Amino acid sequence: MASTPWHLLKDTATLTNQTWEQGVEGISYGSNGSTSTIKCCIQPTSAADSLVYGRDTTTQMFDLFLAPTTTAGAAWDCSPRDIITLHSTNYRIEGKPQDMCSMGVLKKLVVSRDLG
């Protein structure tokens, strides 16, 4: 049976779940809900050439590999409306987490951030 590769997950990310509410004007807005801390490892992907070759890009994509449980030992889930914070930088979630080996030992998210 496979186990979570804890030795590779050297960083800690904060997942902030967004809750949606409706104001008195009838306009929906998001506000920060619960937060969880999760061990992780991040790697640049599609715009990695901007780091290597100094090319201009406006959005950089990353693969974020995460433990299947929070640091408190609870299961977690997220959606594209939630926010991941790592090293004081907020990242947008670009989809649902993927179970990399179908055994529940490692999740992968595609995240992005604007370069400024």
Side-chain angles (χ1 to χ4, degrees):
M1 183 162 148
S3 61
T4 300
W6 295 106
H7 63 287
L8 298 176
L9 306 177
K10 299 192 182 289
D11 294 318
T12 303
T14 302
L15 171 64
T16 304
N17 297 110
Q18 298 289 306
T19 57
W20 290 93
E21 302 170 12
Q22 192 169 33
V24 293
E25 312 84 23
I27 299 171
S28 297
Y29 63 94
S31 61
N32 292 344
S34 63
T35 60
S36 305
T37 55
I38 307 165
K39 297 296 286 179
C40 68
C41 173
I42 192 165
Q43 296 179 347
T45 57
S46 67
D49 61 336
S50 68
L51 296 175
V52 176
Y53 302 109
R55 295 181 182 153
D56 288 335
T57 58
T58 56
T59 301
Q60 186 163 4
M61 307 293 285
F62 298 86
D63 283 340
L64 184 62
F65 299 92
L66 302 121
T69 58
T70 67
T71 54
W76 62 271
D77 195 16
C78 65
S79 71
R81 68 176 178 258
D82 298 333
I83 298 169
I84 289 271
T85 305
L86 179 63
H87 302 298
S88 302
T89 302
N90 290 335
Y91 294 88
R92 287 185 305 275
I93 298 172
E94 301 294 338
K96 295 292 286 176
Q98 301 170 346
D99 184 353
M100 289 306 292
C101 56
S102 300
M103 299 182 81
V105 297
L106 187 67
K107 291 185 179 183
K108 181 191 136 206
L109 274 176
V110 175
V111 297
S112 66
R113 72 178 175 95
D114 293 330
L115 302 176

